[in-house]
Amino acid sequence: MPTTSTRGRPAAAELTCQEREVLRGVGCGLTDHEIAHALALPENAVHVQLGRILTKLELRDRTAAIVHAFDSGLVVPGRGRRAASRPAQRAAARPSRTQRVRISVLGPLRAWRDGQPVDLGHLRQQAVLASLALCWDRTVSKDELLDGIWGMEPPLTKVVPVYIYRLRKVLQVENRADSVIRRDRCGYQLVPDAVAVDVERMEELVTDAGAAERAGALNEAVRICAQALDLFRGEPLAGLPGPFAELERVRLTERRTSVTLRKLDLQMRLGRHAQAVGELWALAVARPLDESVAAMLMRALCLSDRPADALSVFERTRRRLADELGVAPGRLLCGTRRTIMRGRDVGPTPATP
């Protein structure tokens, strides 16, 4: 069961510097191998450090760690740490009614100008816009765009300024002289008060859900999580080329799963076990090797008086892990099975009255 509330838990600030970097990598959707490569550590050292992080922060699994990395501010859309900001600055970054350009990255890239869909051109030009949209709170340099979109095979000509020019033209709001893409000496950035990006709205909703959960308003938290999930329209950045889009697809897909599990956990805390089963079955089919999903499905089945079905989920997941990855189930899955076998209460912490 992913745990996202920070109430009564140690903060990420209490981790060592290296543990914080490992947690940030987990939050970005990286595998242990990728984190090890980025931090120049042995892969088994990353695994050990992640275990320490889960223990220190009292988190149940990797999915809970991803959520905690976002909620604690270590990770934000578009890579990098969240810079500390004053409340007035955060309010200024929120979408306003004056924004007349909308961009959606939580599915195939789409954009609308004054409510009308915009033709964004060919895929690499779209990838430039996606990079700016996912880095909505900072400037993106030309080198970042080249590395993130072309990787090890940069273009022979200076195409980035051409793509920026074309994007400015198609996104230009009628009767407005200013562009929605600004340029400074460091690179390019979307103008915050001119463009609304769905991923920013999604993160705001997740933050609001956390506040509702901490206040004990679990029904409201479920409703807000559902709103956040409704913003997804399929695979994020579907079809876009480049290393940046590939990493963001993984991260945003993991984020979607994390928010889904958060919502289902809240439903189970409200006693809606049978309601959660159907969605968990679909998620388990889509992610057959995800032990956190299998463990939550086992709990939901057991709480719905279906312990035999819960144990069959364990066996099916155990076989898939052995056949496809050559590994045994981890602590979470085995612990859930032992609890069910012993007939103990597998329910989540009861909701606060």
Side-chain angles (χ1 to χ4, degrees):
M1 177 181 68
T3 304
T4 58
S5 174
T6 57
R7 181 177 56 188
R9 299 181 183 280
E14 296 182 31
L15 302 174
T16 66
C17 290
Q18 193 166 85
E19 286 169 347
R20 284 168 62 84
E21 288 301 312
V22 170
L23 180 58
R24 188 167 74 88
V26 171
C28 287
L30 301 180
T31 65
D32 286 357
H33 176 76
E34 291 168 330
I35 296 170
H37 178 74
L39 300 181
L41 293 172
E43 188 169 343
N44 64 337
V46 172
H47 180 75
V48 170
Q49 292 220 31
L50 179 55
R52 290 175 182 165
I53 291 168
L54 297 179
T55 300
K56 282 187 178 183
L57 299 181
E58 300 175 14
L59 301 172
R60 291 180 178 269
D61 52 35
R62 192 184 194 94
T63 299
I66 292 174
V67 177
H68 192 93
F70 277 86
D71 289 347
S72 64
L74 285 175
V75 178
V76 291
R79 303 186 295 183
R81 301 174 181 81
R82 172 178 293 163
S85 59
R86 294 187 292 274
Q89 291 174 316
R90 289 175 60 84
R94 290 177 179 268
S96 70
R97 293 183 180 180
T98 63
Q99 291 170 326
R100 298 169 63 181
V101 172
R102 293 188 298 114
I103 298 174
S104 173
V105 298
L106 298 177
L109 184 69
R110 298 285 186 270
W112 296 263
R113 182 188 62 218
D114 287 335
Q116 297 300 313
V118 174
D119 182 357
L120 297 173
H122 58 78
L123 288 180
R124 292 200 189 275
Q125 183 169 299
Q126 292 183 35
V128 169
L129 181 61
S131 297
L132 298 180
L134 283 161
C135 302
W136 49 266
D137 60 345
R138 66 180 180 88
T139 299
V140 183
S141 71
K142 185 174 71 173
D143 287 343
E144 273 189 90
L145 292 171
L146 290 171
D147 291 343
I149 298 170
W150 284 270
M152 301 300 293
E153 299 180 356
L156 299 177
T157 58
K158 297 180 179 180
V159 297
V160 170
V162 174
Y163 289 166
I164 294 293
Y165 170 79
R166 291 175 180 171
L167 289 169
R168 281 173 170 163
K169 189 172 181 180
V170 298
L171 296 174
Q172 184 72 42
V173 175
E174 190 174 354
N175 299 324
R176 286 189 58 170
D178 53 327
S179 172
V180 299
I181 302 175
R182 68 161 62 115
R183 179 183 178 181
D184 59 28
R185 60 185 181 85
C186 297
Y188 306 95
Q189 182 182 8
L190 293 178
V191 178
D193 60 354
V195 182
V197 182
D198 62 349
V199 73
E200 181 185 6
R201 177 60 180 155
M202 184 267 291
E203 292 299 341
E204 289 178 348
L205 287 169
V206 172
T207 299
D208 292 344
E213 179 184 356
R214 290 189 292 274
L218 301 191
N219 280 304
E220 178 67 4
V222 170
R223 185 188 69 80
I224 297 172
C225 283
Q227 276 188 283
L229 291 168
D230 285 343
L231 294 175
F232 286 88
R233 301 172 295 102
E235 182 184 46
L237 305 176
L240 290 192
F244 178 83
E246 183 177 354
L247 174 60
E248 288 298 298
R249 264 193 296 274
V250 172
R251 183 180 69 80
L252 291 171
T253 299
E254 288 296 325
R255 188 58 168 153
R256 182 180 193 174
T257 300
S258 298
V259 177
T260 300
L261 292 180
R262 183 178 196 166
K263 184 195 75 170
L264 294 171
D265 175 44
L266 290 165
Q267 288 177 331
M268 290 171 65
R269 288 167 61 184
L270 288 164
R272 304 174 189 168
H273 313 128
Q275 183 179 347
V277 166
E279 198 165 349
L280 282 166
W281 269 120
L283 197 57
V285 169
R287 301 171 66 93
L289 302 176
D290 191 323
E291 296 186 56
S292 60
V293 173
M296 186 176 283
L297 175 57
M298 290 171 65
R299 289 182 48 249
L301 288 166
C302 188
L303 290 167
S304 301
D305 296 323
R306 299 168 60 183
D309 289 338
L311 294 175
S312 71
V313 170
F314 175 87
E315 287 301 321
R316 183 166 56 253
T317 307
R318 181 190 63 78
R319 288 195 299 271
R320 291 291 293 264
L321 290 169
D323 293 345
E324 298 185 27
L325 300 180
V327 299
R331 275 185 317 182
L332 175 64
L333 208 56
C334 290
T336 304
R337 176 179 179 272
R338 283 195 300 271
T339 301
I340 294 172
M341 292 286 289
R342 293 170 183 170
R344 294 180 180 174
D345 180 17
V346 296
T349 303
T352 303

